[in-house]
Amino acid sequence: MNILAIESSCDETAVAVVRDGRSLLADCISSQVDIHKLYGGVVPEIASRKHIETIYPLAEQALTEAGITRADIDAVAVTYAPGLIGAVLVGVNFAKAAAFALGKPLVPVHHIRGHIAANYLSHPELEPPFLCLVVSGGHTMLVDVRDYTDIQILGGTRDDAAGECFDKIARVLGMPYPGGAALDRMSQGADGTKYPLPRAKVDGNPLDLSFSGLKTAAINLIHNAQQKQEEIDVPALCAAVAGAVSNALVSRTELALEQTGRGTLAVAGGVAANSRIRADVTALAERLGVRLCLPELRFCGDNAAMIGAQGYYEYLAGRTADMTLNAYATKSLVGETV
Ligand code: KG4
Ligand code: ZN
């Protein structure tokens, strides 16, 4: 079954062709990062306009790369939520038009379910159930993937997402948007113990996290040093931030593995590319004797291949949509049914 998959929820326009959920025939991405960099963050109106310009030629390119024609498409999958609403709607309406014109089913895919499914592409033998640590620019959560479309949120951040925390600290350090990857590069090999940063404790659910205190502490430290004209050891501060974020994630992940008894751990989302987090979850999995799945770096950030992978399982579960899909685009929970 060939799925044409569309992703336009933020600043990447992406179109992929995925066969039977696991095999990638084409994976086209057009990033807008260089445009939004000028403003230090994503400008939603510009993002929507760029998606409109890009999506059609990108879909044509994906079909050419896949070596198939329109007639070979069996379903159209699309990210329906969450995301910048104008940006999401460009993809949703393109997908609706394509599905309608081809007379094929339309399959709405939650963006976070897509990130989780990136692991199916990198690990063809991976099957639920497994525990997944989802870490992106907008989300940080631990989810129990009971089945391909039966996903339960166990805990998550009460405030900032891990990626947001990295990006905001990186921005104050003068790194270009999105700063997470630059902060990661800067931190490598540096002494992470030089700057002690707070570890937040959250009342209630022991699997919940908080990153806003860490973000504020790091930013205050930078501003204080600037006011006193003291030099900051930037690599050491970046290593301290990465260490603090990773410790918080890994301790909750360990607890969630204990609670659920799952024998497989997967990691998903843009922040899954972080070298410190990858090293720490690898060490955790080895210590606990659980199997670890990390997505390849190309499938960590936003892409349409992951939407095609999850779209296949949503289709098999009968979770297709009619043409009123716009109404769902404002919903943002992983467990939401469509
Ligand atoms: O999943 P994603 O592409 O978009 C969302 O769904 O949010 O994640 C983007 C986030 C950004 O915050 C970006 O800075 C972060 O992932 N990121 C990283 C790294 N690469 C990307 N954060 C830390 N270390 C990295 N190597
Ligand atoms: Zn994402």
Side-chain angles (χ1 to χ4, degrees):
M1 176 182 195
N2 294 326
I3 295 192
L4 179 72
I6 315 285
E7 156 64 45
S8 70
S9 63
C10 192
D11 58 350
E12 251 106 31
T13 321
V15 183
V17 180
V18 180
R19 182 166 290 168
D20 297 335
R22 301 271 176 164
S23 145
L24 193 52
L25 304 190
D27 185 21
C28 303
I29 301 185
S30 170
S31 175
Q32 306 176 0
V33 162
D34 286 344
I35 301 164
H36 299 290
K37 228 176 221 172
L38 304 172
Y39 308 96
V42 180
V43 183
E45 176 69 8
I46 295 175
S48 306
R49 284 169 183 265
K50 282 284 150 199
H51 287 311
I52 292 168
E53 287 170 16
T54 313
I55 198 153
Y56 182 75
L58 206 66
E60 291 284 299
Q61 187 188 327
L63 291 185
T64 306
E65 276 183 26
I68 64 168
T69 67
R70 293 176 192 187
D72 300 317
I73 297 168
D74 299 302
V76 182
V78 63
T79 302
Y80 74 93
L84 302 171
I85 193 64
V88 168
L89 285 176
V90 175
V92 164
N93 285 290
F94 181 85
K96 278 168 65 170
F100 185 73
L102 296 169
K104 300 293 180 189
L106 177 66
V107 187
V109 177
H110 191 284
H111 183 76
I112 297 302
R113 288 179 178 228
H115 272 303
I116 296 167
N119 283 286
Y120 302 139
L121 296 166
S122 293
H123 305 277
E125 70 299 340
L126 174 65
E127 287 177 4
F130 58 89
L131 181 81
C132 189
L133 169 65
V134 181
V135 272
S136 73
H139 291 77
T140 300
M141 52 176 78
L142 277 156
V143 298
D144 190 23
V145 184
R146 297 193 257 183
D147 206 341
Y148 289 105
T149 57
D150 181 6
I151 292 161
Q152 191 192 7
I153 301 171
L154 304 175
T157 183
R158 299 263 178 96
D159 38 59
D160 294 347
E164 197 178 341
C165 176
F166 280 133
D167 292 345
K168 295 217 168 117
I169 295 169
R171 184 176 171 166
V172 177
L173 285 169
M175 296 171 185
Y177 171 85
L183 188 147
D184 183 12
R185 279 193 297 277
M186 188 64 84
S187 72
Q188 285 168 22
D191 173 13
T193 61
K194 185 165 172 180
Y195 295 106
L197 291 170
R199 290 347 189 216
K201 286 202 182 66
V202 183
D203 286 340
N205 183 354
L207 295 180
D208 278 354
L209 303 115
S210 161
F211 289 114
S212 73
L214 168 65
K215 176 191 69 183
T216 307
I219 291 175
N220 285 346
L221 192 149
I222 300 161
H223 285 157
N224 278 338
Q226 284 167 345
Q227 277 158 10
K228 291 184 200 154
Q229 293 183 329
E230 285 169 8
E231 210 167 296
I232 296 172
D233 183 343
V234 176
L237 181 59
C238 291
V241 170
V245 170
S246 185
N247 284 349
L249 295 171
V250 168
S251 65
R252 299 326 187 273
T253 304
E254 179 167 3
L255 198 57
L257 283 167
E258 274 168 24
Q259 275 186 15
T260 57
R262 296 292 182 219
T264 302
L265 169 67
V267 187
V271 182
N274 184 268
S275 58
R276 174 69 193 259
I277 295 169
R278 287 176 94 89
D280 288 354
V281 291
T282 302
L284 175 74
E286 274 168 19
R287 181 159 61 76
L288 300 182
V290 302
R291 178 171 158 236
L292 176 67
C293 292
L294 291 169
E296 291 157 70
L297 293 183
R298 66 186 173 132
F299 295 138
C300 288
D302 291 346
N303 63 86
M306 66 186 198
I307 301 303
Q310 182 63 22
Y312 177 66
Y313 295 104
E314 300 285 337
Y315 173 80
L316 292 183
R319 288 161 57 94
T320 54
D322 62 20
M323 290 298 152
T324 60
L325 180 58
N326 282 2
Y328 296 104
T330 54
K331 298 194 174 170
S332 60
L333 297 174
V334 172
E336 204 88 72
T337 49
V338 290

